[in-house]
Amino acid sequence: MFPTYDVIVVGAGHAGCEAAVAAANLGSRVLLVTMNMQTIAQMSCNPAMGGVGKGQIVREIDALGGYSGIVTDETMVQFRLLNRSKGPAMWSPRAQSDRMAFALNWREKLEAHPLIDFWQEMVVGVWVKDGRIAGVKTGLGMEIPGKAVVLTNGTFLNGIIHIGEKQLGGGRAGERASTGITAQLQELGFEAGRMKTGTPARLDGRTLDYSVMTEQPGDENPGRFSYTDTPPLVDQLPCHVTYTNLDVHETLREGFDRSPMFNGRIQGLGPRYCPSIEDKIDRFAGRDQHQLFVEPEGRNTCEIYVNGFSSSLPEDVQYKALRKVRGFENMKMFRPGYAIEYDFFQPTQLGPTLETRLVENLYFAGQINGTTGYEEAGCQGLIAGMNAALKVQERDPFVLLRSEAYIGVLIDDLINKGTEEPYRMFTSRAEYRILLRQDDADLRLTPMAQALGVRNMDGRGTRVQAKREGVAAIATELRAHSITPDQLNGYLESVGTAALKQGVKLDTVLARPGVTLEGLADTVPVLRDFLSPYDAETVNLAEVTLKYEGYIERERQAVEKMSRLEGIKLGRSFDYEQLTALSKEARQKLNKLKPVTIGQASRISGVSPADVSVLLVHLGR
Amino acid sequence: MFPTYDVIVVGAGHAGCEAAVAAANLGSRVLLVTMNMQTIAQMSCNPAMGGVGKGQIVREIDALGGYSGIVTDETMVQFRLLNRSKGPAMWSPRAQSDRMAFALNWREKLEAHPLIDFWQEMVVGVWVKDGRIAGVKTGLGMEIPGKAVVLTNGTFLNGIIHIGEKQLGGGRAGERASTGITAQLQELGFEAGRMKTGTPARLDGRTLDYSVMTEQPGDENPGRFSYTDTPPLVDQLPCHVTYTNLDVHETLREGFDRSPMFNGRIQGLGPRYCPSIEDKIDRFAGRDQHQLFVEPEGRNTCEIYVNGFSSSLPEDVQYKALRKVRGFENMKMFRPGYAIEYDFFQPTQLGPTLETRLVENLYFAGQINGTTGYEEAGCQGLIAGMNAALKVQERDPFVLLRSEAYIGVLIDDLINKGTEEPYRMFTSRAEYRILLRQDDADLRLTPMAQALGVRNMDGRGTRVQAKREGVAAIATELRAHSITPDQLNGYLESVGTAALKQGVKLDTVLARPGVTLEGLADTVPVLRDFLSPYDAETVNLAEVTLKYEGYIERERQAVEKMSRLEGIKLGRSFDYEQLTALSKEARQKLNKLKPVTIGQASRISGVSPADVSVLLVHLGR
Ligand SMILES: Cc1cc2nc3c(=O)[nH]c(=O)nc-3n(C[C@H](O)[C@H](O)[C@H](O)COP(=O)(O)OP(=O)(O)OC[C@H]3O[C@@H](n4cnc5c(N)ncnc54)[C@H](O)[C@@H]3O)c2cc1C
Ligand SMILES: Cc1cc2nc3c(=O)[nH]c(=O)nc-3n(C[C@H](O)[C@H](O)[C@H](O)COP(=O)(O)OP(=O)(O)OC[C@H]3O[C@@H](n4cnc5c(N)ncnc54)[C@H](O)[C@@H]3O)c2cc1C
């Protein structure tokens, strides 16, 4: 009944959707199997994409030909570039999404892909022959043949929803949990663990008093995620900010004895950096308020998401407490918040392509690997999907380094360090932040995708070329353009930097703090004329490149040093027990994790610089 | 946590949505509780509204201020007026809907209503105090107080999905079943039964060969359902027609031994007039083909609904058979068809307002009453919602007669005759078809809604007034306008009717078969001028009224005769056992069903004309 697919993707969340597209855009025939075709690309929790660390990932997904950025651009209701007051390494795009439109748009894009087929059903197990994937097995008892399988089950594996003392089976509110897969994988030798995450109540926006909250509008000139030609955002919706207070906290505390978090009913660890409101009150007992973001769920709905109020307290406690928040006095709830516990698989069981070590051609991506967040899921899907396709086509794997992309950092962290609590991205996880900026993910990554022959790049390649040339031309101009003190000193004074004593080139002035290319162009009309043919992204990148040239160069050198280690391959079948000069812990960890390169080995906790030297000596370097 | 609602509606299918709006538009505070707010107004089966008998109901819902017509108009992708070649009593509007857009549009309309609140959860029981509704109980253990409750659980009560030999619990593909309610109602004394219905496979439209099918376009001048000012339909999508063949039948037959229908696993009776394909093959063994309608699920999806191929055969059998249908040779499936079994409550347990006899202020509407179809569900929701609101406001009930609306026929049939198999509307169920046309449901019903004070009538009242006046003016003109033989004989000849010998009034010519108002206007320029200020609906109604004057009058008289009986009220507490002159069967049935009027009593099977006379004598008539 089914042909043999190149790649079968199980689950159509953010990981699954990107995986399907990535494999199909490398020419693989893909089947996307999901429990409910009406919940494709559903945002389970907050209706937002991007944010600090995460926005960079969406840009990277886009640069590699993924669709999350395009879908977000086409359906967002608000855009903000966060951290604009900090250095460009920290600038992070974030969009408020229309939840329904986002899901519909993704579905349309998937359906429009001639290489992607669909099947609506629950997968109950993988089909393995001789340690290698043969396909998947479904709830109706079908065996669907496939050469590679990507599992992206999200929070559905043996999912249990907790609200106060009540427990319900489910993968998400109102949806069934997925059973069978965990047990089967455990039999195959996989180690499963338990995690939890939570979501806040949804409120009736018609009952909130926005006049007492602080409005948080979108950016005046909203940017976008995709490097393709997505339409500019018009008609932004505002979010609002309000705060909890001691009264709210007191009310919540009254429910603590019925909290599944505090009475031990929930076993799995939750995301430390996305704590529930009860967690926040418990951990920061000294704080007398916590910020809440009041976010619209879409353009045509009054449903509101209360960012910052995730909770699994009993629904009456959530209700009573919410009603004491400023602006929520007459609030009505659509549904309470809840926590969900689910199975994940320690990602140290994966290689850098996200293929499992135990079953050939089986890939895991997304929340199943212990991560949290749409962006983290999406980028894993992309990498797993690409690599599944490449493997089936007997081509070289595609792996991103820590110095090349946040995606590289994320996967490297996961497979080497594993995670005990839901892993989310932070800029602080990257050692080369200034190289992993959101403004040039296209220059970093798009050429790689082109080299692999990724299809449907929608002009990204041409745009990269133009952007690169534009940046170079602007840099050349600034480096060549001399300027006299009397031309510029008025402006320099106005931004509080020392006056010039003699003529200099424009690039040296730009390097000063406070000086901007925009400011220079305002002062020097010929510069304005010179810049006018270039688009904002190009001009911005040129500015950043010149202003931060020194930092960028320094990080490049650090990367180079590291990459020498990164370039030294370790055999995957090598038995480290033989190398008695290694510490015992290093031997064990190395044997367990089988790093692919010395660089990777060096980042494993328990592998010391001394151990790295032993490895280098052993390899004759 | 909740205020005491006037009306709590359980379930947001077609019945639930109309019930919520109907109660709210009579000024009641409504809570709509549903398992999943993302499936509000989901079309469980075919993406279409209306059709023969059903289209009339949608028009009636609209005339009474319901929203199904508006939502359909705003989201349809094709419109056809069926049976145009038959008399106007048979003309039936039918729309092909965009499934997703339909649901979203309904949700937006509900959210826009200030008197409707929402709560997402499963209701597990009604809350009854002293034989009277006090509210509902939810899965989280909450008791939500309400003065009246409308249950509209659809196919969810103890739902079991069948595909071949497999059974899955569920209320609809991918959704949970609802448990608890049936058992509780049985304890309260209600009788529950079991029914089943089925749905066909969904196909990947990209894999079908439309070139070998017959295209079925929409009407050239598409009409609409609503009497309000909904936007005209542009950019219609075609449907397609293809056929099964003996090879398909043979293949299906191979699966009969694994069919839950034929091996007795399904107990409930299915809709006789919406049979599964296996049923059709079994029952009409002589037929060598069955028609299939290939219907798009929406504007932006390639998903296809195969109308006519509902099946619960094993999925591999469905697949193999479908692949043998002309145009489906390379077909890919998104999901197989399935049958669903669910609990219903014999509607003879209800009064004409759809209030239950056992529990005061508890109403049932929709599939829970043993009906099938969105339209049947929607109109019951409307009547239950209106009456729940009226009851809470201590106002008179609102009941439609069989001569006033298909809605009246439907409810009267249900509560008096009950049903053993899923009940759907047919024009043949109505005894006064010419009075229940789709072209004047507004004239029949809108004034009643206005008299009740239904809000948000969106100009329906004004339009009725204008239409009524327009029809009268046109009729007056035609009755007054003399015409000579030489003015008209050319036209009369062209439509094959006898030439005039002397001048006559236009209305007498119009009464002739074949003569149309359009044809007359083409021939008589002053008539064209006279008609030009009137809209198409008005002109059409004038034509129908004049052409069918005789029939209409005859039916009116029949109704009058009957309505004398209908006007004679019977006490609901009267004990018929006292009336020994009644037949035994009549006494039992009357005591069980407690009809409200003699008319209603006369339609109960087992109550003879002689029994009716006994009742009349007893009442002193
Ligand atoms: C209650 C809740 C709260 C959350 N809170 C946060 C938060 O605070 N911060 C944050 O960053 N992220 C949060 N998330 C996580 C975020 O939703 C996920 O990280 C992200 O959606 C993961 O994407 P995914 O693709 O891995 O899985 P999902 O989006 O969960 O998608 C899984 C998909 O797989 C399908 N599926 C599952 N099992 C099967 C099967 N056996 N057969 C077929 N199909 C199957 C499902 O139908 C679904 O389509 C939360 C999620 C939930 C549910
Ligand atoms: C598989 C299938 C095939 C069908 N085939 C046909 C056909 O061939 N022809 C035809 O005319 N009709 C068919 N129908 C029927 C048509 O879908 C229904 O008649 C119509 O949808 C009934 O409307 P309703 O409002 O009564 O219920 P539904 O549309 O079923 O809606 C029920 C609503 O109640 C909610 N709900 C249920 N229980 C609870 C609870 N305990 N608490 C809270 N919410 C609850 C559900 O979430 C849902 O929103 C089919 C339906 C199904 C499922």
Side-chain angles (χ1 to χ4, degrees), chain A residues 71-110:
Chain A
V71 172
T72 305
D73 287 355
E74 288 176 354
T75 58
M76 62 191 171
V77 299
Q78 188 195 76
F79 181 94
R80 294 200 303 144
L81 188 61
L82 307 181
N83 280 338
R84 226 191 252 274
S85 61
K86 301 188 183 167
M90 299 301 289
W91 297 353
S92 305
R94 180 185 190 278
Q96 203 64 45
S97 291
D98 183 309
R99 185 189 301 280
M100 290 279 196
F102 182 92
L104 284 178
N105 188 300
W106 247 119
R107 176 165 172 174
E108 282 171 30
K109 292 213 160 42
L110 292 167

Tab-separated table of all heavy atoms in Angstrom, chain A residues 71-110:
chain	number	residue	atom	x	y	z
A	71	VAL	N	7.509	31.046	7.347
A	71	VAL	CA	6.176	30.885	7.943
A	71	VAL	C	5.954	31.947	9.006
A	71	VAL	O	4.884	32.568	9.080
A	71	VAL	CB	6.015	29.467	8.538
A	71	VAL	CG1	4.722	29.366	9.330
A	71	VAL	CG2	6.058	28.411	7.438
A	72	THR	N	6.962	32.177	9.825
A	72	THR	CA	6.824	33.191	10.878
A	72	THR	C	6.591	34.573	10.264
A	72	THR	O	5.669	35.292	10.652
A	72	THR	CB	8.080	33.220	11.762
A	72	THR	OG1	8.309	31.908	12.269
A	72	THR	CG2	7.917	34.187	12.917
A	73	ASP	N	7.407	34.922	9.297
A	73	ASP	CA	7.245	36.238	8.667
A	73	ASP	C	5.845	36.409	8.093
A	73	ASP	O	5.237	37.472	8.196
A	73	ASP	CB	8.263	36.415	7.529
A	73	ASP	CG	9.680	36.637	8.055
A	73	ASP	OD1	9.850	36.739	9.284
A	73	ASP	OD2	10.612	36.697	7.229
A	74	GLU	N	5.365	35.357	7.469
A	74	GLU	CA	4.086	35.484	6.769
A	74	GLU	C	2.892	35.524	7.712
A	74	GLU	O	1.785	35.868	7.292
A	74	GLU	CB	3.926	34.348	5.749
A	74	GLU	CG	4.840	34.542	4.546
A	74	GLU	CD	4.801	33.393	3.539
A	74	GLU	OE1	4.138	32.374	3.813
A	74	GLU	OE2	5.443	33.514	2.489
A	75	THR	N	3.084	35.140	8.959
A	75	THR	CA	1.926	35.042	9.848
A	75	THR	C	2.095	35.786	11.163
A	75	THR	O	1.244	35.704	12.025
A	75	THR	CB	1.620	33.554	10.167
A	75	THR	OG1	2.780	32.964	10.770
A	75	THR	CG2	1.274	32.790	8.915
A	76	MET	N	3.193	36.524	11.323
A	76	MET	CA	3.395	37.185	12.615
A	76	MET	C	2.492	38.405	12.752
A	76	MET	O	2.019	38.966	11.777
A	76	MET	CB	4.862	37.568	12.810
A	76	MET	CG	5.425	38.555	11.813
A	76	MET	SD	7.249	38.641	12.011
A	76	MET	CE	7.697	39.643	10.582
A	77	VAL	N	2.260	38.778	13.999
A	77	VAL	CA	1.435	39.964	14.267
A	77	VAL	C	2.257	41.051	14.953
A	77	VAL	O	1.787	42.171	15.131
A	77	VAL	CB	0.196	39.619	15.130
A	77	VAL	CG1	-0.692	38.606	14.410
A	77	VAL	CG2	0.581	39.095	16.508
A	78	GLN	N	3.480	40.709	15.340
A	78	GLN	CA	4.358	41.711	15.933
A	78	GLN	C	5.800	41.239	15.781
A	78	GLN	O	6.080	40.045	15.858
A	78	GLN	CB	4.075	41.883	17.436
A	78	GLN	CG	4.841	43.041	18.035
A	78	GLN	CD	4.881	43.043	19.552
A	78	GLN	OE1	5.610	42.289	20.174
A	78	GLN	NE2	4.078	43.902	20.145
A	79	PHE	N	6.701	42.201	15.569
A	79	PHE	CA	8.127	41.863	15.469
A	79	PHE	C	8.925	42.826	16.316
A	79	PHE	O	8.683	44.029	16.313
A	79	PHE	CB	8.586	41.966	14.006
A	79	PHE	CG	10.042	41.606	13.820
A	79	PHE	CD1	10.411	40.318	13.470
A	79	PHE	CD2	11.042	42.555	14.009
A	79	PHE	CE1	11.747	39.977	13.305
A	79	PHE	CE2	12.384	42.223	13.853
A	79	PHE	CZ	12.738	40.930	13.497
A	80	ARG	N	9.890	42.283	17.049
A	80	ARG	CA	10.816	43.141	17.797
A	80	ARG	C	12.229	42.577	17.696
A	80	ARG	O	12.423	41.358	17.751
A	80	ARG	CB	10.408	43.229	19.272
A	80	ARG	CG	9.057	43.937	19.438
A	80	ARG	CD	8.862	44.467	20.829
A	80	ARG	NE	8.984	43.426	21.821
A	80	ARG	CZ	9.533	43.609	23.022
A	80	ARG	NH1	10.037	44.789	23.357
A	80	ARG	NH2	9.565	42.616	23.885
A	81	LEU	N	13.192	43.463	17.537
A	81	LEU	CA	14.583	43.044	17.617
A	81	LEU	C	15.007	43.309	19.058
A	81	LEU	O	15.170	44.464	19.468
A	81	LEU	CB	15.450	43.825	16.627
A	81	LEU	CG	16.887	43.330	16.499
A	81	LEU	CD1	16.951	41.884	15.992
A	81	LEU	CD2	17.695	44.235	15.565
A	82	LEU	N	15.142	42.248	19.835
A	82	LEU	CA	15.469	42.403	21.251
A	82	LEU	C	16.943	42.770	21.435
A	82	LEU	O	17.764	42.518	20.551
A	82	LEU	CB	15.178	41.095	22.003
A	82	LEU	CG	13.780	40.505	21.843
A	82	LEU	CD1	13.644	39.227	22.682
A	82	LEU	CD2	12.708	41.506	22.251
A	83	ASN	N	17.250	43.354	22.567
A	83	ASN	CA	18.646	43.653	22.942
A	83	ASN	C	19.335	44.629	22.016
A	83	ASN	O	20.557	44.597	21.878
A	83	ASN	CB	19.482	42.351	22.943
A	83	ASN	CG	19.265	41.561	24.210
A	83	ASN	OD1	18.860	42.114	25.222
A	83	ASN	ND2	19.548	40.275	24.141
A	84	ARG	N	18.592	45.501	21.419
A	84	ARG	CA	19.182	46.431	20.477
A	84	ARG	C	20.206	47.350	21.159
A	84	ARG	O	21.114	47.871	20.518
A	84	ARG	CB	18.084	47.302	19.873
A	84	ARG	CG	18.177	47.446	18.381
A	84	ARG	CD	17.206	48.525	17.968
A	84	ARG	NE	16.047	47.994	17.273
A	84	ARG	CZ	16.032	47.775	15.963
A	84	ARG	NH1	17.095	47.995	15.235
A	84	ARG	NH2	14.949	47.336	15.367
A	85	SER	N	20.043	47.554	22.481
A	85	SER	CA	20.973	48.453	23.179
A	85	SER	C	22.298	47.759	23.476
A	85	SER	O	23.261	48.399	23.875
A	85	SER	CB	20.338	48.924	24.486
A	85	SER	OG	20.089	47.788	25.306
A	86	LYS	N	22.344	46.460	23.294
A	86	LYS	CA	23.594	45.743	23.526
A	86	LYS	C	24.343	45.572	22.208
A	86	LYS	O	23.913	46.044	21.168
A	86	LYS	CB	23.292	44.376	24.141
A	86	LYS	CG	22.539	44.506	25.460
A	86	LYS	CD	22.403	43.165	26.154
A	86	LYS	CE	21.582	43.341	27.430
A	86	LYS	NZ	21.155	42.045	27.975
A	87	GLY	N	25.461	44.876	22.254
A	87	GLY	CA	26.240	44.637	21.043
A	87	GLY	C	25.499	43.731	20.085
A	87	GLY	O	24.555	43.029	20.471
A	88	PRO	N	25.904	43.754	18.811
A	88	PRO	CA	25.165	43.021	17.778
A	88	PRO	C	25.163	41.510	17.991
A	88	PRO	O	24.311	40.815	17.439
A	88	PRO	CB	25.891	43.392	16.483
A	88	PRO	CG	27.245	43.842	16.910
A	88	PRO	CD	27.080	44.446	18.262
A	89	ALA	N	26.084	40.999	18.783
A	89	ALA	CA	26.065	39.564	19.056
A	89	ALA	C	24.808	39.201	19.833
A	89	ALA	O	24.363	38.055	19.825
A	89	ALA	CB	27.298	39.160	19.862
A	90	MET	N	24.239	40.188	20.519
A	90	MET	CA	23.075	39.924	21.359
A	90	MET	C	21.756	40.253	20.674
A	90	MET	O	20.695	39.883	21.171
A	90	MET	CB	23.181	40.754	22.649
A	90	MET	CG	24.388	40.430	23.494
A	90	MET	SD	24.391	38.691	23.972
A	90	MET	CE	23.027	38.691	25.140
A	91	TRP	N	21.797	40.965	19.572
A	91	TRP	CA	20.542	41.333	18.899
A	91	TRP	C	19.780	40.068	18.532
A	91	TRP	O	20.321	39.175	17.886
A	91	TRP	CB	20.813	42.134	17.624
A	91	TRP	CG	21.502	43.443	17.874
A	91	TRP	CD1	21.763	44.015	19.084
A	91	TRP	CD2	22.039	44.326	16.881
A	91	TRP	NE1	22.419	45.210	18.914
A	91	TRP	CE2	22.601	45.429	17.573
A	91	TRP	CE3	22.092	44.303	15.493
A	91	TRP	CZ2	23.219	46.485	16.906
A	91	TRP	CZ3	22.694	45.356	14.829
A	91	TRP	CH2	23.252	46.441	15.536
A	92	SER	N	18.532	40.024	18.930
A	92	SER	CA	17.769	38.789	18.738
A	92	SER	C	16.369	39.101	18.242
A	92	SER	O	15.591	39.743	18.952
A	92	SER	CB	17.681	38.020	20.054
A	92	SER	OG	18.966	37.787	20.586
A	93	PRO	N	16.010	38.623	17.072
A	93	PRO	CA	14.657	38.883	16.575
A	93	PRO	C	13.629	38.004	17.295
A	93	PRO	O	13.914	36.864	17.654
A	93	PRO	CB	14.746	38.508	15.095
A	93	PRO	CG	15.919	37.599	14.973
A	93	PRO	CD	16.845	37.882	16.111
A	94	ARG	N	12.457	38.565	17.512
A	94	ARG	CA	11.373	37.821	18.144
A	94	ARG	C	10.055	38.243	17.515
A	94	ARG	O	9.815	39.437	17.323
A	94	ARG	CB	11.318	38.106	19.640
A	94	ARG	CG	10.203	37.345	20.354
A	94	ARG	CD	10.112	37.743	21.809
A	94	ARG	NE	9.212	36.873	22.557
A	94	ARG	CZ	7.888	37.005	22.581
A	94	ARG	NH1	7.313	37.963	21.901
A	94	ARG	NH2	7.149	36.164	23.292
A	95	ALA	N	9.218	37.285	17.211
A	95	ALA	CA	7.926	37.584	16.599
A	95	ALA	C	6.801	37.041	17.448
A	95	ALA	O	6.916	35.958	18.032
A	95	ALA	CB	7.840	36.969	15.206
A	96	GLN	N	5.734	37.791	17.529
A	96	GLN	CA	4.491	37.304	18.091
A	96	GLN	C	3.715	36.714	16.926
A	96	GLN	O	3.546	37.369	15.907
A	96	GLN	CB	3.746	38.508	18.694
A	96	GLN	CG	2.761	38.174	19.751
A	96	GLN	CD	3.420	37.579	20.967
A	96	GLN	OE1	4.443	38.065	21.441
A	96	GLN	NE2	2.863	36.489	21.474
A	97	SER	N	3.279	35.461	17.080
A	97	SER	CA	2.645	34.781	15.945
A	97	SER	C	1.133	34.718	16.084
A	97	SER	O	0.603	34.783	17.182
A	97	SER	CB	3.160	33.347	15.844
A	97	SER	OG	4.500	33.337	15.445
A	98	ASP	N	0.482	34.551	14.952
A	98	ASP	CA	-0.926	34.176	14.939
A	98	ASP	C	-0.938	32.649	14.920
A	98	ASP	O	-0.578	32.023	13.936
A	98	ASP	CB	-1.599	34.743	13.691
A	98	ASP	CG	-3.091	34.448	13.651
A	98	ASP	OD1	-3.467	33.270	13.832
A	98	ASP	OD2	-3.869	35.378	13.440
A	99	ARG	N	-1.362	32.063	16.053
A	99	ARG	CA	-1.196	30.617	16.213
A	99	ARG	C	-1.839	29.809	15.084
A	99	ARG	O	-1.236	28.905	14.512
A	99	ARG	CB	-1.792	30.184	17.554
A	99	ARG	CG	-1.575	28.713	17.898
A	99	ARG	CD	-2.383	28.303	19.123
A	99	ARG	NE	-2.051	29.086	20.292
A	99	ARG	CZ	-0.980	28.872	21.054
A	99	ARG	NH1	-0.158	27.891	20.764
A	99	ARG	NH2	-0.733	29.635	22.097
A	100	MET	N	-3.077	30.128	14.768
A	100	MET	CA	-3.794	29.371	13.743
A	100	MET	C	-3.174	29.593	12.364
A	100	MET	O	-2.980	28.658	11.602
A	100	MET	CB	-5.255	29.828	13.684
A	100	MET	CG	-6.066	29.433	14.875
A	100	MET	SD	-6.607	27.707	14.733
A	100	MET	CE	-7.900	27.687	15.988
A	101	ALA	N	-2.881	30.859	12.071
A	101	ALA	CA	-2.329	31.174	10.754
A	101	ALA	C	-0.978	30.492	10.575
A	101	ALA	O	-0.660	29.981	9.492
A	101	ALA	CB	-2.187	32.695	10.597
A	102	PHE	N	-0.191	30.457	11.634
A	102	PHE	CA	1.119	29.814	11.589
A	102	PHE	C	0.969	28.344	11.185
A	102	PHE	O	1.641	27.863	10.271
A	102	PHE	CB	1.773	29.923	12.972
A	102	PHE	CG	3.161	29.345	13.066
A	102	PHE	CD1	4.277	30.140	12.851
A	102	PHE	CD2	3.357	28.007	13.381
A	102	PHE	CE1	5.563	29.608	12.941
A	102	PHE	CE2	4.634	27.460	13.466
A	102	PHE	CZ	5.742	28.267	13.245
A	103	ALA	N	0.061	27.654	11.848
A	103	ALA	CA	-0.119	26.229	11.572
A	103	ALA	C	-0.650	26.009	10.153
A	103	ALA	O	-0.171	25.132	9.424
A	103	ALA	CB	-1.064	25.620	12.611
A	104	LEU	N	-1.614	26.820	9.759
A	104	LEU	CA	-2.185	26.657	8.410
A	104	LEU	C	-1.130	26.914	7.339
A	104	LEU	O	-1.051	26.207	6.340
A	104	LEU	CB	-3.350	27.633	8.205
A	104	LEU	CG	-4.654	27.255	8.907
A	104	LEU	CD1	-5.703	28.337	8.662
A	104	LEU	CD2	-5.158	25.921	8.368
A	105	ASN	N	-0.341	27.934	7.565
A	105	ASN	CA	0.674	28.304	6.588
A	105	ASN	C	1.698	27.169	6.417
A	105	ASN	O	2.067	26.808	5.294
A	105	ASN	CB	1.341	29.601	7.055
A	105	ASN	CG	2.275	30.195	6.030
A	105	ASN	OD1	3.249	29.556	5.635
A	105	ASN	ND2	2.005	31.412	5.588
A	106	TRP	N	2.117	26.596	7.540
A	106	TRP	CA	3.054	25.465	7.463
A	106	TRP	C	2.433	24.314	6.667
A	106	TRP	O	3.058	23.707	5.810
A	106	TRP	CB	3.388	24.948	8.869
A	106	TRP	CG	4.801	25.158	9.295
A	106	TRP	CD1	5.222	25.891	10.362
A	106	TRP	CD2	6.009	24.607	8.701
A	106	TRP	NE1	6.593	25.831	10.467
A	106	TRP	CE2	7.099	25.057	9.468
A	106	TRP	CE3	6.262	23.793	7.598
A	106	TRP	CZ2	8.425	24.713	9.171
A	106	TRP	CZ3	7.576	23.452	7.300
A	106	TRP	CH2	8.642	23.915	8.079
A	107	ARG	N	1.169	24.037	6.982
A	107	ARG	CA	0.531	22.922	6.290
A	107	ARG	C	0.467	23.163	4.783
A	107	ARG	O	0.746	22.280	3.986
A	107	ARG	CB	-0.876	22.683	6.846
A	107	ARG	CG	-1.575	21.597	6.088
A	107	ARG	CD	-2.795	21.040	6.751
A	107	ARG	NE	-3.451	20.148	5.792
A	107	ARG	CZ	-4.484	19.399	6.060
A	107	ARG	NH1	-4.989	19.385	7.263
A	107	ARG	NH2	-5.017	18.631	5.123
A	108	GLU	N	0.118	24.393	4.421
A	108	GLU	CA	0.072	24.707	2.988
A	108	GLU	C	1.433	24.500	2.333
A	108	GLU	O	1.535	23.975	1.227
A	108	GLU	CB	-0.355	26.161	2.781
A	108	GLU	CG	-1.836	26.368	2.942
A	108	GLU	CD	-2.212	27.850	2.954
A	108	GLU	OE1	-1.515	28.653	2.306
A	108	GLU	OE2	-3.187	28.192	3.639
A	109	LYS	N	2.477	24.940	3.015
A	109	LYS	CA	3.811	24.811	2.429
A	109	LYS	C	4.187	23.340	2.264
A	109	LYS	O	4.789	22.951	1.272
A	109	LYS	CB	4.838	25.513	3.310
A	109	LYS	CG	4.660	27.018	3.321
A	109	LYS	CD	5.968	27.751	3.464
A	109	LYS	CE	5.808	29.186	2.990
A	109	LYS	NZ	4.563	29.854	3.410
A	110	LEU	N	3.864	22.536	3.246
A	110	LEU	CA	4.186	21.108	3.159
A	110	LEU	C	3.406	20.465	2.017
A	110	LEU	O	3.950	19.692	1.229
A	110	LEU	CB	3.857	20.408	4.481
A	110	LEU	CG	4.744	20.800	5.669
A	110	LEU	CD1	4.128	20.290	6.974
A	110	LEU	CD2	6.156	20.238	5.504
